[in-house]
Amino acid sequence: MTGSEQAVAVAHPNIALIKYWGKRDERLVLPCSDSLSMTLDVFPTTTSVRLDPAADADTVVMDGLPARGEPLRRMTTFLDLVRERARRHERAVVDTRNTVPVGAGLASSASGFAALALAAAGAYGLTRDPLALSRLARRGSGSAARSLFGGFVVWHAGAVDARDPDHASYAEPVTDARLDAALVVVVLEAGPKSVSSREAMRRTVATSPLHPAWVTASRADLVRMRAALRAGDLGAVGRIAEHNALGMHATMEAATPPVRYRTDASAAALDAVRGLRADGVGAWATMDAGPNVKVLCDLADADRVAERMRTVRGSRVVVARRGPGAVLRTEAA
Ligand code: DP6
């Protein structure tokens, strides 16, 4: 199969309700445990990939500026994998635009590598199978495997003794979820984080005595989460998600040296969420590799939750709903 030489893809970030925190295989990006997320309808990434037979290196423009250093290296390594699979040699011209601050724990690598995987697969003429694309996106950034799909999505870690571990680890939609919820995104700091999630994860697995216990607990959380989604029980979904996220942060704070993403502003936001609950509003927090807080609540309560979260000093609040999976926008040759 030949590629269409150029493709543009759009993907949205996802926020994990059961977190991915720790790899059992760095090269293949195989996680220690399954995770489960909700794809958002805000902050899309749009990425175009065009093959340039005359070029001797990939060119990547990120939000209007040439990418260099680690971000460029990660994208080039990813494109090498796509080329190897497509048995093609042309270098690519990549243009990627985020609408979310990069590196602030707002899942830009998830939407970024999901869009890149889809656009690169389109341009180089690789697979269109969504599960295969999720495996491919996973190699760029683990959480990107989940952004291929809309709504609630589960990413299977795959059996440790699987004959083909790369094949065994993919994401797919949770088709029996009976829940429509809002995630109120509370941006507290939009700058890049001090420690990348990749490094923080590595350090946690290597040094945190709490990590094995969290992985065990997380597996049980996932089973309970799937049942709560099936039952449409927002309270249970929220409680499990908050517990899972706070446990993840505890594991990394117990690493050597500790990784601490929570700031005073995060603590104030978590207090505001507790305050909402004390007032009888169903609201539960989750946090990723950064200080920002996301609040899960009923769609009907989203405005009230957003209003309260805006009282946290320095916050910028965006209400997100369930968003769509990644799509190929154009494929003009
Ligand atoms: C805290 O997917 O960014 O957001 O695979 O190393 O690129 P790499 O990590 P990444 O980690 C995301 C971690 C998280 C939790 C989650 O999204 O499940």
Side-chain angles (χ1 to χ4, degrees), residues 1-331:
M1 187 162 78
T2 56
S4 54
E5 317 292 330
Q6 170 158 18
V8 180
V10 182
H12 288 76
N14 69 77
I15 299 298
L17 302 177
I18 301 293
K19 303 295 183 189
Y20 148 52
W21 196 253
K23 297 176 185 62
R24 63 177 207 275
D25 185 314
E26 290 261 344
R27 191 180 64 85
L28 293 176
V29 192
L30 298 174
C32 296
S33 52
D34 296 354
S35 55
L36 188 148
S37 58
M38 183 173 118
T39 300
L40 308 186
D41 65 348
V42 297
F43 304 140
T45 298
T46 304
T47 299
S48 76
V49 174
R50 179 170 59 79
L51 307 197
D52 183 354
D56 54 12
D58 296 317
T59 321
V60 179
V61 174
M62 229 177 192
D63 298 318
L65 295 172
R68 31 177 91 86
E70 183 61 11
L72 176 64
R73 196 198 57 75
R74 270 178 78 171
M75 290 174 87
T76 305
T77 304
F78 184 79
L79 290 166
D80 284 342
L81 176 68
V82 173
R83 280 187 283 264
E84 184 191 309
R85 292 195 176 172
R87 297 175 204 276
R88 299 197 53 164
H89 301 283
E90 302 94 323
R91 303 289 131 174
V93 178
V94 179
D95 188 295
T96 182
R97 282 168 205 277
N98 288 290
T99 48
V100 55
V102 173
L106 282 171
S108 62
S109 73
S111 54
F113 276 101
L116 181 64
L118 190 53
Y124 283 98
L126 265 187
T127 179
R128 280 158 190 263
D129 169 43
L131 299 191
L133 285 165
S134 91
R135 290 184 191 100
L136 179 65
R138 189 196 81 228
R139 297 288 294 271
S141 183
S143 54
R146 300 184 308 238
S147 272
L148 258 301
F149 304 102
F152 294 101
V153 180
V154 61
W155 170 20
H156 306 285
V160 178
D161 56 358
R163 203 145 40 93
D164 182 350
D166 176 64
H167 194 262
S169 185
Y170 60 92
E172 63 178 344
V174 176
T175 51
D176 57 0
R178 287 179 39 228
L179 193 74
D180 205 2
L183 261 175
V184 177
V185 180
V186 186
V187 182
L188 298 163
E189 266 173 48
K193 52 203 172 204
S194 48
V195 189
S196 72
S197 52
R198 187 150 286 194
E199 166 54 24
M201 225 181 256
R202 192 177 288 144
R203 197 186 295 172
T204 305
V205 173
T207 68
S208 174
L210 304 189
H211 188 254
W214 178 78
V215 167
T216 304
S218 203
R219 289 191 182 123
D221 287 348
L222 185 107
V223 173
R224 288 165 53 229
M225 174 64 79
R226 291 202 69 156
L229 284 172
R230 252 191 321 270
D233 184 346
L234 178 65
V237 169
R239 282 190 296 275
I240 298 163
E242 188 171 297
H243 162 82
N244 189 267
L246 296 181
M248 176 187 78
H249 283 272
T251 64
M252 61 180 104
E253 286 173 15
T256 310
V259 180
R260 185 167 168 273
Y261 288 122
R262 291 190 265 206
T263 61
D264 290 350
S266 320
L270 294 175
D271 284 346
V273 174
R274 270 180 226 118
L276 279 161
R277 287 207 292 269
D279 292 349
V281 181
W284 295 269
T286 186
M287 284 181 68
D288 295 292
N292 304 313
V293 171
K294 295 100 188 179
V295 188
L296 186 77
C297 64
D298 198 278
L299 287 176
D301 292 328
D303 289 342
R304 183 160 173 203
V305 169
E307 196 185 316
R308 174 75 68 94
M309 299 316 294
R310 283 195 185 98
T311 65
V312 176
R313 188 129 49 107
S315 66
R316 193 164 69 80
V317 176
V318 177
V319 176
R321 296 170 162 231
R322 279 200 302 189
V327 287
L328 222 39
R329 220 169 53 178
T330 49
E331 290 190 85

